[in-house]
Amino acid sequence: MQLVKVPLCVPVACSAGFGAILHTPVLTPSCWAVICGVFFLACGAAGGNSLQEKTTDRLFARTCNRPLVTGRLTEPEAFWLSALLGTLGLAILWLGAANWSSLLLGITALVLYNGLYTPLKQTSVFALFPGGLAGAVPPLIGWTAAGGALIDIYAWQLFALFFFWQIPHFCIILLRHQEDYRAVERPSLIRVLPGQSLQRIALVWILAFIVVALSLTLDRVRLELGSRVAIVLMCGMLAVFSLSLVVKKSPNYHFLFRVLNCLFFSTLLLVAVLQLYAFK
């Protein structure tokens, strides 16, 4: 579970289910297939990331106890487990989705995450952008698996929503562990920018996220009233909490991190339930 980062892969899989439910508000076999497929695919990618970052993980206090670093798992064991899970995920997407787009998007997510984001982290502070793109692909996988088209503007609003959430999420992680990142000679925004500058950057991206989230509520066909209200309330609460990034000099980053993630994923869950109930 530590190698493939199961707690992180569960919300990734749920985001794919969210994309599927927004297109087709019914828990079809295809919806369950895409959730399972993306979960296994994310586990495979996370295991590959653990292999790629084994040397770097030794340097950070928050990652030095991972199983490859401590020797609880060997590299061949990690490789074959990650390859098996990733292949299983792609196979489920191929068999369970409505078209080839979901499989191609799954491969794209792997390339972005393991082929661009992970290696780029060692050389550039801008690695968060391909990482954010990779994290925004799962809802598109769900959307296309349910029969949605990539040319639909609503699909790209979903993509933008998850992309804009990824960036402040990453910035607040840097602020939470800034002493750890500053102590290690690796490219990091927290090493080239003061903490307050990174706080303002996070705030700008949170505001961009709020704008995209509110734009989703304007579609009166896809979202019923309760779902629109839930999204508006999330945006309001997130705006209030995020103001502490500029009002306070040293806010509680651990608390803000929990607020950002809990508000986002609890709202997604509520909207999914409301959509399923409304179109039952």
Side-chain angles (χ1 to χ4, degrees), residues 60-79:
F60 292 94
R62 72 185 189 92
T63 57
C64 64
N65 289 318
R66 287 179 175 173
L68 281 173
V69 177
T70 59
R72 285 174 288 158
L73 284 176
T74 66
E75 289 191 19
E77 288 172 334
F79 173 80

Side-chain angles (χ1 to χ4, degrees), residues 122-279:
Q122 312 306 318
T123 58
S124 174
V125 298
F126 297 107
L128 76 164
F129 290 109
L133 292 174
V137 171
L140 283 185
I141 296 176
W143 179 269
T144 55
L150 284 177
I151 60 172
D152 192 325
I153 186 63
Y154 203 77
W156 293 102
Q157 284 178 295
L158 274 178
F159 179 85
L161 182 75
F162 280 80
F163 176 73
F164 286 134
W165 166 74
Q166 298 272 341
I167 306 301
H169 169 92
F170 181 77
C171 288
I172 294 175
I173 287 177
L174 289 179
L175 289 165
R176 278 182 67 191
H177 304 282
Q178 53 186 291
E179 292 81 8
D180 203 10
Y181 281 100
R182 285 197 176 105
V184 177
E185 293 288 337
R186 287 291 186 276
S188 173
L189 280 175
I190 200 66
R191 290 176 58 84
V192 297
L193 292 174
Q196 287 184 311
S197 296
L198 198 54
Q199 288 175 209
R200 288 191 286 269
I201 290 172
L203 178 63
V204 169
W205 284 90
I206 289 173
L207 294 176
F209 166 83
I210 290 173
V211 170
V212 174
L214 291 175
S215 74
L216 292 175
T217 67
L218 300 178
D219 191 326
R220 297 177 180 274
V221 176
R222 300 202 188 273
L223 288 181
E224 53 87 41
L225 179 61
S227 296
R228 295 201 298 272
V229 170
I231 293 174
V232 171
L233 287 175
M234 174 197 69
C235 291
M237 289 188 287
L238 190 56
V240 171
F241 281 113
S242 62
L243 285 176
S244 64
L245 285 170
V246 291
V247 173
K248 295 183 180 180
K249 186 175 182 180
S250 298
N252 187 333
Y253 297 119
H254 181 73
F255 175 69
L256 286 174
F257 183 79
R258 288 185 175 274
V259 168
L260 178 67
N261 290 286
C262 288
L263 276 177
F264 182 46
F265 284 104
S266 60
T267 302
L268 293 187
L269 177 61
L270 179 58
V271 169
V273 171
L274 290 171
Q275 291 293 107
L276 290 169
Y277 179 78
F279 294 92

